[in-house]
Amino acid sequence: MYDKNLWDEILKIISKSVDADLVDTWLKPANIDVGTGEGVILSVPNKFFKSWIDKHYSKIILSILKDEFGIERPLKIIIEADKQPHKIAAKKSEKKNVPAKQSLLYSEYTFDNFVSGDSNNFAYAAALTVADGNFSIYNPLYIYGSTGLGKTHLIHAISNRIRQKFPKLNIMYMDAETFTNEIINVFAKHKGEHQQDQIESMKERFLSADVFVLDDIQFLKDRPKSLEFFFNIFNGFQMQQKQVIITSDESPQEINMAERMKSRFASGFQAEILPPTVEERVAILHKKAEELNTPITEHVAIFLAENTATTNSRELIAALKRVTLYASIEKSEVTEQLISKALKEAGMLRRETTAISPQQLITIVAESFNVKISDLVSKKKNKSIVVPRQAAMYLLKEKQGLSLKEIGAHLGNRDHSTVKHGIDTITQKIKDEDFVSDMIKKIIKKL
Ligand code: ADP
Ligand code: MG
């Protein structure tokens, strides 16, 4: 079975050493399957990809599989058509018949296999309401939360159910990246006076949808043309009282967009998805393990849920896959010991790198930057305090695996989006500013 999450993880690691455009062009269209008898299968769109990847990237892919995931098997590159004629054929016909190129809907993301609970009750309930055809209550439905918490799963579940229940309705699902590509294409292909006609006709094609779903709107923040276009059709949908569903990693209030847009996006119903509780994590693990045909005991599910250094469902599932793979390679039962070993090797064991508490970590950060702890947890916003505070956020996440919510609680009760913003900012600074990266390195040595 192809494992898009694993492939995404691998791409993230490759991106550290390979130019992003190259990764986008050559590697993004591929997919990986590690669970076959033939070794690791990498499926690619055509023979050019095959020879290019073979020549330039097979070594790095193999070494990442080995070092990061403990997978040491031969790599076989196949052309997608050999393996999945079905999917390709579907894609092609979609291109011809559907108004705009849509992103693929995953039929496996349904309500049945979505775990609802404290972390996502509102989003879940609103999603079900919309999916059952109540299109005017929550419009737009805006679902937000950090990465890996089930936003895409939930809106696929909505889309799938609407397609099933109301086959006549035209439901258009797009991730923001596909959306942007569509727009760029039209702008690039048609210059001059034709352009405006083309844009109008594209707009009409979009507006012919009865329900429009846009995944990851934050992607449009730095793409003003696409954002403006989206806002335009969004208003068109609103005027026709057609349902729009949006996901984002930030609330409409926080997202960096023009006020006129934010207030419109916030005018329907907003629901935040938080990291899953331990009980939800256990339930998610059971569901995924069943789907993967490797059911686990309650004891194993609880141990994994409590000991994986993440509260993000995507990473939790990656940990589960790693553990089951490990067990099959070692031909062993899944025991606590095996889980600890598998997670530890991947740096995924909760608080494995340090015996110190979050409080001690914050103390070390404060001392290293020569600021007071009381300042770190205060509301002060001067740079000399903000940078150390963000450094503490970063280290609590990277080194102790705390959730954004937990980190916020340790640093003056900040909400998770503030913490996320802090971590994003300092991550960039580590890349750009030697002083910051040296300081972080120094602190890590002390931990
Ligand atoms: P996001 O879009 O928020 O980044 P995804 O929807 O891609 O997250 O979810 C990541 C993975 O976690 C998917 O495999 C998804 O099925 C799973 N997942 C997340 N939340 C849940 C949940 N509540 N119940 C079941 N699976 C979940
Ligand atoms: Mg998503």
Side-chain angles (χ1 to χ4, degrees):
M1 207 171 71
Y2 285 110
D3 187 340
K4 178 137 188 337
N5 289 335
L6 174 65
W7 187 236
D8 284 344
E9 291 304 313
I10 293 172
L11 292 191
K12 243 193 251 163
I13 300 167
I14 294 183
S15 303
K16 289 181 189 159
S17 51
V18 175
D19 188 81
D21 283 341
L22 291 174
V23 173
D24 275 357
T25 311
W26 291 108
L27 297 171
K28 221 164 181 191
N31 210 341
I32 200 163
D33 180 355
V34 293
T36 73
E38 301 169 77
V40 175
I41 302 282
L42 195 69
S43 93
V44 300
N46 60 42
K47 62 179 184 196
F48 298 111
F49 280 80
K50 185 174 165 167
S51 65
W52 187 270
I53 294 179
D54 194 24
K55 197 161 161 201
H56 298 280
Y57 301 111
S58 53
K59 262 203 194 128
I60 179 165
I61 294 170
L62 280 169
S63 83
I64 291 174
L65 280 169
K66 177 162 170 257
D67 297 343
E68 304 285 333
F69 300 93
I71 300 171
E72 223 172 330
R73 309 178 66 198
L75 181 69
K76 187 172 169 194
I77 304 177
I78 61 162
I79 294 167
E80 200 173 350
D82 303 346
K83 178 103 184 172
Q84 283 194 313
H86 206 69
K87 211 167 174 184
I88 292 238
K91 260 190 193 160
K92 276 198 184 134
S93 65
E94 249 176 40
K95 245 189 191 163
K96 258 193 225 152
N97 306 330
V98 206
K101 189 182 150 211
Q102 302 190 34
S103 311
L104 232 49
L105 265 190
Y106 300 121
S107 55
E108 62 270 30
Y109 284 168
T110 64
F111 283 107
D112 286 343
N113 60 10
F114 188 83
V115 173
S116 67
D118 289 346
S119 70
N120 57 27
N121 266 331
F122 285 115
Y124 182 76
L128 264 180
T129 308
V130 172
D132 283 334
N134 305 293
F135 297 140
S136 56
I137 305 178
Y138 305 129
N139 197 13
L141 172 60
Y142 188 109
I143 297 172
Y144 67 99
S146 323
T147 181
L149 297 184
K151 301 182 295 294
T152 297
H153 186 140
L154 200 52
I155 58 171
H156 276 74
I158 301 177
S159 309
N160 283 321
R161 182 175 289 201
I162 295 178
R163 276 208 179 150
Q164 202 180 23
K165 277 187 100 165
F166 311 100
K168 291 213 173 100
L169 286 186
N170 175 9
I171 169 157
M172 207 182 273
Y173 165 83
M174 283 207 175
D175 60 72
E177 193 173 347
T178 309
F179 180 81
T180 304
N181 288 340
E182 281 287 294
I183 315 295
I184 293 174
N185 250 331
V186 169
F187 276 100
K189 273 199 200 134
H190 308 279
K191 299 274 176 217
E193 58 196 63
H194 272 326
Q195 199 180 54
Q196 203 48 41
D197 293 347
Q198 288 300 327
I199 292 170
E200 280 308 311
S201 90
M202 176 166 63
K203 196 172 145 188
E204 269 167 37
R205 276 182 286 137
F206 276 106
L207 285 173
S208 72
D210 298 301
V211 176
F212 190 81
V213 187
L214 184 76
D215 200 2
D216 288 327
I217 194 176
Q218 75 277 2
F219 190 80
L220 303 185
K221 275 193 299 198
D222 313 318
R223 292 162 175 86
K225 268 190 186 155
S226 303
L227 179 59
E228 197 58 56
F229 186 82
F230 175 69
F231 189 56
N232 210 304
I233 58 168
F234 173 85
N235 285 325
F237 285 126
Q238 290 288 98
M239 267 177 9
Q240 301 178 53
Q241 296 185 322
K242 286 178 175 175
Q243 178 73 45
V244 177
I245 303 164
I246 297 171
T247 73
S248 171
D249 66 353
E250 290 172 309
S251 73
Q253 289 79 13
E254 292 158 330
I255 201 163
N256 184 15
M257 289 178 181
E259 281 307 323
R260 69 197 158 97
M261 297 181 178
K262 288 160 64 143
S263 65
R264 299 283 284 147
F265 296 148
S267 65
F269 184 79
Q270 309 160 38
E272 181 173 18
I273 301 189
L274 294 168
T277 59
V278 172
E279 294 75 37
E280 290 167 311
R281 277 184 259 159
V282 169
I284 290 173
L285 284 169
H286 276 308
K287 282 223 191 284
K288 286 291 162 177
E290 271 161 33
E291 275 170 29
L292 295 165
N293 267 330
T294 51
I296 48 176
T297 62
E298 181 72 1
H299 180 77
V300 163
I302 294 174
F303 188 80
L304 247 179
E306 287 182 340
N307 289 286
T308 306
T310 181
T311 49
N312 155 334
S313 311
R314 183 179 291 127
E315 288 174 5
L316 190 68
I317 294 163
L320 167 73
K321 288 183 183 166
R322 186 179 163 83
V323 164
T324 45
L325 187 72
Y326 211 94
S328 79
I329 291 169
E330 301 246 309
K331 297 196 173 51
S332 144
E333 293 282 303
V334 179
T335 58
E336 281 187 16
Q337 206 184 7
L338 180 128
I339 294 175
S340 303
K341 202 167 147 199
L343 293 182
K344 192 163 185 184
E345 278 179 21
M348 290 167 99
L349 189 62
R350 182 167 274 260
R351 313 220 169 123
E352 57 140 342
T353 49
T354 168
I356 69 166
S357 67
Q359 208 43 49
Q360 286 167 314
L361 184 146
I362 292 170
T363 310
I364 293 172
V365 172
E367 281 166 0
S368 308
F369 278 95
N370 204 11
V371 295
K372 292 198 212 110
I373 295 174
S374 58
D375 282 340
L376 282 191
V377 300
S378 74
K379 299 268 170 266
K380 285 189 190 164
K381 290 212 166 111
N382 25 337
K383 195 176 171 207
S384 61
I385 308 287
V386 170
V387 172
R389 185 182 296 136
Q390 290 173 341
M393 291 171 176
Y394 174 84
L395 291 166
L396 287 169
K397 172 105 188 111
E398 291 296 314
K399 292 293 151 195
Q400 303 209 319
L402 264 58
S403 70
L404 298 177
K405 207 173 163 190
E406 288 169 319
I407 296 170
H410 281 291
L411 287 165
N413 276 331
R414 293 182 146 77
D415 65 20
H416 84 280
S417 55
T418 311
V419 176
K420 181 177 179 300
H421 173 75
I423 292 174
D424 289 348
T425 311
I426 197 87
T427 306
Q428 193 57 43
K429 282 211 168 94
I430 293 171
K431 285 187 200 141
D432 297 341
E433 296 178 25
D434 289 345
F435 166 72
V436 178
S437 76
D438 289 349
M439 198 63 166
I440 297 276
K441 277 188 207 141
K442 234 166 57 196
I443 297 173
I444 289 175
K445 276 202 192 124
K446 289 189 201 163
L447 295 179

